[in-house]
Amino acid sequence: MTVTRFAPSPTGFIHVGNLRTALMNYLIARKAGGEFILRIDDTDPERSEEKYVDAIKEDLEWLGLTWDRVERQSERLDRYADAADKLREIGRFYEVFETPTELDLKRKKQLNMKKPPVYDRAGLSLSEAEKDALREERGGYWRFKLDHERIEWNDQIIGDISIDAASVSDPVLIRADGQVLYTIASVVDDTDMGVTNVVRGADHVTNTATQIQIMQALGFEAPAFAHHSLLTGPQGEALSKRLGTLALRDLREAGIEPMALLSHMARLGSSDPAELCRDMAELVEGFEIGNFGTAPTKFDVADLTPLTAKYLHGFAYSDISEDIFDAGVPADKAEAFWNVVGENIDTRKDLATWWELMSKGAEPVIDDEDADFVREALAMLPDGPHDGDTWGTWTAAVKEATGRKGRGLFMPLRKALTGMQHGPDMSALLPLLQVIKAKA
Ligand code: GLU
């Protein structure tokens, strides 16, 4: 069975970058009729917070990316300790003692000598007595000893990839305070949970190389890997610093529709044409991981609003009537309201804005040169209720009386009644205007 997982660390809100990872893993599982696990990578007790676990779930639920089960790394520490013991037993784990400053110094020296800044394995040549003394003095931590050979895999996005293990530092798997690090925890989880496909960002490629060797050392079989390109801003600029402002909850707050966001993210950076899907089944159907490219993928948050609008414009009244009631529109006017504003909303929030305009009246916009004309015209507008013919009859009479026609006739009246230059068909809108401030 195909099993995938989305494995966020609960150290912040998830953003569009995380969403890409979550969505790809979700779609692979659903397309194969498999299982999608939400794995909370919370081995770091200082940085992990429960409020972020809740927020991650809330954001995924909003999008409809439902998981089959939740796993938490903090509940599996004994499994990681077992794996660490095994690596120790087979001589692939060694204790090291360098402080971050010492490591930094080593790296600088290597770079000065034009050598790659790879950990020099000094820990391996320490005697037991030296280790005892250092452990006493500053505490030790543990690195995995890579086999210096090429690590190869067929990546579902990148293709055949080969990394020279000698160019990679032996990864630290356990910190001085005993905290198990993600690199080993993830290997143990992926194996225990039967994960068959791992999709994650291209920033994890080196991790993958080391994890493949850890898996081999533990006698585990590696899953299939796919590393998607990282998102950049619209001009190709790094997005990492701005991701904080692209949290999923901010997009939700801005009125972006889940299906617009998911449709966009499911095709961005792939050779498949961008298309707006109406539901998850359509999204699943058209998804092909192999069609994604390796080039950095441009993301422009501004693209999400027209897509949201397009998605909403496809709604029938019955799809959105609840939201219309919630916006305060009385049931007897709700369908007419939707017929009038449906094509003019960008987000669902605009429903309330439109109803406010209709029920409380818009602030009139009247240019100086139109003031007399508008006053004269409004004096001719019969008191309500208005119907679908009122606008036509009224403007014909105004035309007759004032000699104005075309844009010069209609635009000042639209602006006086709605405060806007654009908007719905005025003959349909007028019957819904409960208050006309310009007339008052
Ligand atoms: N917690 C890791 C991260 O958020 C998971 C990476 C992975 O998918 O293995 O980067």
Side-chain angles (χ1 to χ4, degrees), residues 24 58 63 135 218 220 246 296 301 329 359:
M24 288 180 174
E58 200 178 276
L63 290 166
R135 201 176 298 122
L218 290 169
F220 299 161
L246 294 171
V301 69
V329 183
S359 57

Side-chain angles (χ1 to χ4, degrees), residues 49 87 166 190 209 215 248 258 275 280 300 373 413-414 429:
E49 287 187 53
L87 292 175
D190 286 339
M215 286 179 187
L248 299 187
E275 58 175 349
M280 204 62 96
D300 190 348
F373 162 71
L413 299 180
R414 175 184 284 280
L429 178 61

Side-chain angles (χ1 to χ4, degrees), residues 363-393:
E363 280 315 316
V365 171
I366 302 169
D367 296 337
D368 288 346
E369 65 269 25
D370 295 325
D372 292 340
F373 162 71
V374 170
R375 197 175 315 110
E376 187 180 347
L378 285 173
M380 295 170 68
L381 178 64
D383 288 338
H386 300 126
D387 62 23
D389 295 327
T390 311
W391 173 261
T393 325

Side-chain angles (χ1 to χ4, degrees), residues 5-9 18 21 25 39 41 73 182 186 190 198-201 203-204 207 211:
R5 83 305 195 274
F6 172 50
S9 301
N18 307 122
T21 311
N25 283 295
R39 190 182 86 200
D41 284 5
Q73 291 196 324
Y182 149 81
S186 187
D190 286 339
V198 171
V199 183
R200 53 192 177 191
D203 50 339
H204 279 289
N207 262 341
Q211 286 181 333

Side-chain angles (χ1 to χ4, degrees), residues 2-4 24-25 27-29 31-32 152-161 195-200 205 208 212 222-229 269-271 287-294:
T2 299
V3 181
T4 65
M24 288 180 174
N25 283 295
L27 292 174
I28 289 175
K31 191 163 183 178
E152 295 175 345
W153 74 95
N154 181 267
D155 194 280
Q156 291 182 308
I157 292 176
I158 303 174
D160 282 335
I161 178 164
V195 170
T196 56
N197 297 69
V198 171
V199 183
R200 53 192 177 191
V205 165
T208 297
I212 286 176
F225 287 102
H227 293 85
H228 60 70
S229 63
S270 91
S271 57
F287 181 78
E288 210 43 76
I289 188 77
N291 291 353
F292 283 81
T294 53

Side-chain angles (χ1 to χ4, degrees), residues 6-28:
F6 172 50
S9 301
T11 53
F13 296 118
I14 50 174
H15 47 66
V16 285
N18 307 122
L19 168 60
R20 199 147 179 252
T21 311
L23 180 59
M24 288 180 174
N25 283 295
Y26 174 86
L27 292 174
I28 289 175

Side-chain angles (χ1 to χ4, degrees), residues 144-163:
F144 174 73
K145 186 163 169 275
L146 290 165
D147 271 343
H148 282 174
E149 59 187 21
R150 296 202 77 86
I151 305 168
E152 295 175 345
W153 74 95
N154 181 267
D155 194 280
Q156 291 182 308
I157 292 176
I158 303 174
D160 282 335
I161 178 164
S162 167
I163 291 183

